[in-house]
């Protein structure tokens, strides 16, 4: 995040958020109800939150893998918004949201990664020295959901609106606070959540599309990465850059 | 209760390079071997879905399952050691072939200086060159004695390389010629040559050409497929125990491998081992396997841990300096590297191989004058073309944010336009860097975990500063537009530093008071136990370890055969 954004007049934004919330009548209500209604309302008010809408329209049915096995629709939307801030759309091409990084994260957290099934989980969890690596008892799937919740709490406290409704600059301010370990968090540092979010976002952009992200291998295409091919004997000897169209692991099936 | 099985001549714990070589040599000589391996069985065909960065590199599919077992770490004696809960630094092998399935294949010999480091350092620089807390010692074997074993290992694996004048004398050239010198490597070659150095192609276990080894194993040439480090090779081009020594041993009909079998401890009677106790990791059943000879080849960490958990050998005590098991744990220092960014050049960085690299020999070992320097030994200054996989390689100039718009555009901008000039520095042992049993944390079977007490030393920090100067100069000579050098060695961080070259803990030497095993890797305190691996290194050189541990495995196999015939200590 740039200094410019950091120093942006927060008070102004707060007041505009306040107006928006008043108008939308979303200050009370259960989480589910608020979330569901929120997205509907947000869809109507595109100027207030340019980030949130649109995804539901983009050919959802075409790929059966694009469906949720872990997140609630609200959590999914929030994840989409957050990953887009980590890796936004730009002149190079789509951002993490359109690359389906949130679908990737949904699928990862539903499986063994969400349950930390290959991590050492025995014994006491003591507070570590900075050189001793994370020592959190919280499972990845729970850390992520806790993080989303805290991100929303932070947004409400500081900007008086849900995270998905904030302007990009405020979303960045919130995420920066998490990344620096400065946001309130139960049981561990907010930076642990941020690190998980960042790591999963990058994976969701660049892992083989078989995992649900890196839509149409566009993550690879942006950086001219050819994906997985069997041999580069020829290309590796070339003095000039050889651009190859990306191929997924599915191209190795049937070998 | 453990089910007691019929006694066998030799039981081998762990089926990586060390266990695989021992098994091949003994079974070829007609000696039946039972190989016990905690992980699963493997064959080349299993690697066909191998080009999956997420699964193999980031979810460490082929490595030790930390939910079962890890190490604990502390930087200093007065800290509480905590478990490495997920991978960050070294990744540990598992399954048939061990780390030999997913290694890079950079296959060096150590220098003549390494084997006699104490004597030669004192000869040249006097007795006070290095403080007494640095517990360097001679290895109890010389380079000339090692040479034939290196030669055997290189022929078995088909190492591709070129002879380097500054290094130890070779009886034979490498069995296959060097790998392709790609345009990327030529950038390094040009710059270092014009600085007056003599770059050479890194010796590689990724075959430069099709090769048939003395055991009759034929393997195909490397395809530079870029899924090498952390991955198995679907071509069999990368030397892997699973495509070399293990099938040779199996072919004899004398090797029985038991996979999914985790050895908990050795059994003993007085100062002899009588066999091993292991648990089937799937069913939970326990077995006792009696044997005449127990070969412990379960990698550096478990080599020390199994002995400590079995009460075999005398544990090292950092207060008194007495005892040997756990002594002289060493690592390597990898800071001092430089990243060079090129505005107008795009390289084919997506292509590569695990051991496709180029290096200069001038800063290795004692090949430069240390009279005015505050450290001994040196670094391999080198550049590799591994294949820049996209999750792992988002390399941006320093000062760039680690997320957001600028991160994205910069990481894409430089994706094919950066080169890393690496420094792989040697690691001298220190009296406070050692391995013992953790007093609190246990593995999934209830056995104490290994505790590592380790941090970098002044020697390491001095070495890094010096090498940083070398790597940044090379980057300048390359004409890089942006040069980022990491010139300080930060404290050791178990989740950040990446180097897979752990050594020591069950070290070799000529004196039973200061070493655990003799030059046949036979334990001084238990003559029918051979502890094979880089655990035997009294210090770590600036080269990757496997060439040397492979050579030592051939020597140990010879020793075991002699021992089976005549008994007693071999030295
Ligand atoms: C990613 C990576 C890249 C590397 N690249 C290089 C390189 O380029 N050059 C180089 O020289 N070295 C490299 N290394 C290091 C190299 O792989 C090791 O030095 C070498 O493979 C060690 O062989 P080993 O037989 O001693 O141990 P391992 O290969 O680790 O084998 C030990 C075996 O013992 C088994 N085992 C452990 N404990 C038990 C138990 N209690 N019961 C039963 N079985 C047990 C393990 O499952 C394992 O299979 C690399 C390592 C890694 C991880
Ligand atoms: S780079 Fe070469 S040796 Fe390595 S996995 Fe690919 S083909 Fe095999």
């Amino acid at each position: 995040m740039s200094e410019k954004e950091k120093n942006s007049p927060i008070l102004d934004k707060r007041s505009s958020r306040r107006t928006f919330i008043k108008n939308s009548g979303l200050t009370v209500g259960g989480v589910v109800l608020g979330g569901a209604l929120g997205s509907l309302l947000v869809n109507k008010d595109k100027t207030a939150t340019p980030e949130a809408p649109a995804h539901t329209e983009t050919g959802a049915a075409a790929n059966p893998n694009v469906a949720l096995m872990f997140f609630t629709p609200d959590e999914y939307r929030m994840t989409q918004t957050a990953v887009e801030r980590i890796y936004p759309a730009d002149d190079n091409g789509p951002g993490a949201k359109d690359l389906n990084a949130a679908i990737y994260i949904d699928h990862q957290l539903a499986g063994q990664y969400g349950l930390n099934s290959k991590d050492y989980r025995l014994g006491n969890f003591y507070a570590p020295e900075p050189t001793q690596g994370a020592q959190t008892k919280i499972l990845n799937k729970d850390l992520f959901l806790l993080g989303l919740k805290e991100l929303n709490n932070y947004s409400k406290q500081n900007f008086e609106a849900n995270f998905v409704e904030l302007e990009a600059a405020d979303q960045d301010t919130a995420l920066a606070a998490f990344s620096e370990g400065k946001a309130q968090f139960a049981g561990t540092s907010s930076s642990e959540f941020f690190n998980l979010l960042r790591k999963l976002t990058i994976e969701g952009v660049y892992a083989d599309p078989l995992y649900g992200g890196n839509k149409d291998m566009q993550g690879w295409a942006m950086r001219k990465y050819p994906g997985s091919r069997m041999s580069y004997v020829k290309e590796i000897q070339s003095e000039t850059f050889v651009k190859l169209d990306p191929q997924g692991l599915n191209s190795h099936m049937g070998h | 209760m453990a089910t007691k099985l019929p006694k066998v001549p030799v039981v081998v714990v762990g089926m990586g390079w060390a266990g695989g070589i021992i098994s091949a040599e003994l079974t070829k000589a007609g000696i039946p071997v039972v190989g016990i391996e905690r992980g699963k069985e493997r064959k080349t065909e299993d690697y066909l879905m191998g080009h999956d960065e997420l699964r193999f590199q980031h979810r460490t599919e082929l490595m030790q399952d930390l939910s079962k077992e890890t190490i604990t770490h502390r930087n200093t004696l007065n800290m509480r050691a905590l478990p490495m809960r997920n991978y960050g630094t070294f990744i540990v092998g598992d399954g048939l072939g061990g780390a030999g399935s997913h290694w890079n294949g950079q296959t060096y010999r150590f220098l003549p200086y390494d084997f006699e480091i104490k004597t030669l350092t004192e000869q040249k620089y006097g007795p006070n060159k290095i403080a007494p807390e640095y517990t360097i010692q001679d290895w109890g074997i010389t380079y000339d004695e090692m040479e034939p074993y290196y030669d055997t290992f290189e022929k078995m694996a088909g190492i591709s390389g070129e002879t380097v004048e500054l290094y130890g004398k070779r009886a034979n050239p490498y069995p296959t010629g060097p790998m392709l010198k790609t345009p990327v490597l030529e950038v390094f070659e040009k710059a270092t040559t014009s600085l007056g150095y003599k770059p050479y192609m890194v010796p590689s276990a990724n075959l430069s050409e099709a090769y048939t080894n003395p055991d009759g194993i034929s393997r195909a040439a490397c395809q530079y497929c870029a899924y090498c480090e952390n991955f198995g090779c679907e071509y069999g081009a990368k030397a892997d125990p699973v495509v070399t020594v293990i099938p040779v041993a199996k072919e004899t009909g004398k090797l029985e491998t038991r996979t999914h079998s985790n050895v908990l401890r050795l059994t003993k009677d007085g100062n002899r081992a009588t066999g091993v106790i292991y648990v089937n990791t799937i069913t939970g059943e326990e077995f006792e396997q009696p044997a005449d000879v127990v070969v412990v080849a379960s990698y550096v960490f478990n080599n020390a841990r199994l002995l400590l958990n079995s009460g075999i050998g005398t544990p090292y005590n950092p207060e008194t300096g007495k005892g040997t098991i756990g002594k002289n744990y060493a690592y390597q220092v990898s800071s001092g590297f430089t990243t060079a960014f090129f505005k107008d050049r795009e390289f084919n960085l997506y292509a590569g191989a695990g051991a496709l690299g180029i290096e200069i020999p001038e800063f290795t070992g004692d090949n430069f004058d240390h009279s005015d320097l505050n450290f001994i030994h040196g670094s391999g200054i080198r550049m590799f073309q591994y294949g820049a996989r996209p999750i792992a390689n988002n390399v941006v100039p320093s000062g760039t944010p680690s997320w957001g718009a600028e991160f994205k555009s910069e990481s894409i901008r430089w994706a094919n336009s950066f080169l890393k000039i690496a420094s792989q520095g040697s690691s001298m042992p220190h009296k406070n860097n050692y391995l013992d049993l953790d007093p609190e944390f246990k593995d999934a079977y209830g056995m104490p975990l290994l505790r590592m007490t380790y941090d970098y030393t002044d020697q390491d920090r001095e070495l890094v500063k010096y090498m940083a100067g070398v790597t940044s100069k090379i980057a300048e000579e390359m004409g890089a537009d942006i040069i980022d050098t990491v010139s300080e060695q930060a404290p050791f961080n178990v989740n950040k530093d990446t180097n897979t070259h752990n050594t020591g803990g069950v070290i070799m030497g000529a004196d039973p008071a200061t070493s655990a095993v003799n030059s046949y890797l036979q334990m001084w305190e238990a003559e029918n136990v051979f502890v094979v691996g880089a655990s035997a290194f009294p210090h770590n050189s600036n080269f990757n370890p496997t060439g040397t541990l492979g050579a030592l495995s051939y020597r140990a196999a010879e020793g075991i055969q002699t021992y089976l015939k005549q008994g007693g200590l071999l030295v």
Side-chain angles (χ1 to χ4, degrees), chain A residues 1-2 84-96 99 104 108 112-113 116-136 171-177 179 194 198-200 202-204 206-208 210-211 219-220 222-233 235-244 249-255, chain B residues 48-55 58-70 73-75 79-87 180 182-184 186 222-227 234-235 345-353 356 385 387-395 401-409 411-413 415-416 440-444 449 491-496:
Chain A
M1 184 188 48
S2 74
E84 184 67 13
R85 296 318 307 150
I86 305 284
Y87 190 96
D90 65 2
D91 294 349
N92 290 298
L99 291 167
Y104 165 83
Q108 283 294 305
Q112 55 169 341
Y113 185 75
N116 301 55
S117 66
K118 285 189 79 181
D119 289 355
Y120 183 77
R121 307 271 308 154
L122 304 171
N124 288 316
F125 287 75
Y126 298 105
E129 298 293 333
T131 55
Q132 293 181 298
Q135 299 285 329
T136 169
Q171 288 168 341
D172 287 350
T173 306
L175 287 169
S179 78
F194 181 85
R198 181 192 181 277
K199 172 183 156 80
L200 289 174
I202 299 300
E203 289 174 0
Y206 293 129
D208 192 280
L210 92 92
Y211 294 98
W220 288 343
M222 277 187 278
R223 55 191 288 160
K224 301 181 202 155
Y225 186 72
S228 61
R229 289 175 175 253
M230 296 303 282
S231 169
Y232 294 122
V233 175
E235 294 79 4
I236 204 165
Q237 300 181 68
S238 164
E239 288 289 342
T240 53
F241 189 79
V242 183
K243 196 170 161 217
L244 300 167
L249 201 56
N250 62 346
S251 66
H252 297 212
M253 288 293 281
H255 270 270
Chain B
L48 278 177
M49 282 288 127
H51 292 203
D52 183 339
E53 182 185 4
L54 182 73
R55 178 177 170 195
H58 303 281
R59 300 289 184 264
T60 55
E61 167 100 4
L62 300 175
M63 288 89 177
Q64 170 178 304
D65 180 352
L66 295 185
S67 74
K68 300 250 161 53
E69 163 181 354
T70 186
H73 167 260
R74 56 180 183 171
N75 294 69
M79 268 167 75
R80 187 208 306 269
L82 296 181
M84 175 173 85
R85 293 198 179 271
N86 42 51
Y87 278 118
L180 290 171
T182 64
V184 165
E186 276 168 359
C222 171
Q223 299 300 305
Y224 302 85
C225 81
Y227 285 77
E234 67 270 47
Y235 295 101
R345 294 196 65 173
E346 269 187 312
F347 305 103
N348 291 303
L349 294 188
Y350 54 79
L356 177 62
Q385 188 173 3
R389 292 177 293 274
I391 299 173
N393 288 280
N394 288 284
V395 181
S402 65
W403 57 281
E406 194 183 344
F407 165 75
K408 180 190 173 188
S409 59
S411 60
I412 290 175
R413 168 170 190 197
N416 302 300
E440 177 173 345
F441 292 96
K442 306 251 187 319
D443 69 13
L449 291 184
F492 176 74
N493 184 318
V494 77
N495 267 135
K496 284 218 180 96

Side-chain angles (χ1 to χ4, degrees), chain B residues 124-303:
Chain B
K124 189 159 167 192
Y125 304 107
N128 303 320
K129 178 68 188 166
I130 181 162
E133 299 85 70
Y134 295 94
T135 47
I136 54 166
Q137 58 192 61
D138 292 352
W139 290 39
I141 195 166
T142 62
Y143 174 82
D144 290 341
E145 292 170 292
M146 285 290 287
E147 209 285 334
Y149 303 109
Y150 274 126
D151 191 58
T152 307
F153 180 76
E154 288 165 357
K155 285 186 177 135
M156 176 276 294
I159 303 305
S160 307
E162 54 183 316
T163 300
V164 181
E165 267 171 46
L166 268 181
Y167 294 171
K169 257 199 149 53
R170 306 178 55 88
N172 295 299
Y174 282 100
T176 54
M179 297 185 82
L180 290 171
K181 196 177 287 166
T182 64
V184 165
L185 301 188
E186 276 168 359
V187 176
F188 182 94
E189 182 187 41
K190 213 170 131 222
T192 52
T193 307
S194 76
L195 288 169
Y197 305 128
K198 291 208 174 99
Y200 67 95
M201 290 295 288
V202 167
S204 166
N206 319 141
L207 283 179
S208 62
E209 58 195 77
Y211 175 72
T212 303
N213 79 5
D215 291 318
I217 297 273
S218 294
R219 290 157 46 219
C222 171
Q223 299 300 305
Y224 302 85
C225 81
Y227 285 77
C228 202
E229 174 185 40
N230 296 304
F231 304 83
C233 178
E234 67 270 47
Y235 295 101
K238 174 163 73 176
D240 169 342
V242 163
V243 296
T244 51
V245 287
I246 293 175
V248 168
K250 284 204 167 140
E251 188 63 32
T252 65
K254 301 235 175 253
L255 173 68
E256 183 195 341
T257 51
R258 295 191 197 136
T259 45
H260 303 289
S261 299
N262 187 86
V263 173
L264 302 176
R265 61 188 168 86
L266 280 62
T267 53
K268 64 169 185 170
D269 180 8
N271 57 3
R272 294 175 63 82
T274 51
V276 298
I277 301 277
Y278 68 92
V279 55
N280 181 308
T281 60
I282 293 173
T283 65
E285 292 165 288
E286 274 191 27
F287 298 92
E288 179 178 349
Q289 178 60 67
D292 292 322
V293 169
V294 179
V295 179
V296 184
S298 56
Y299 193 59
V300 172
F301 298 134
N302 274 350
N303 283 2

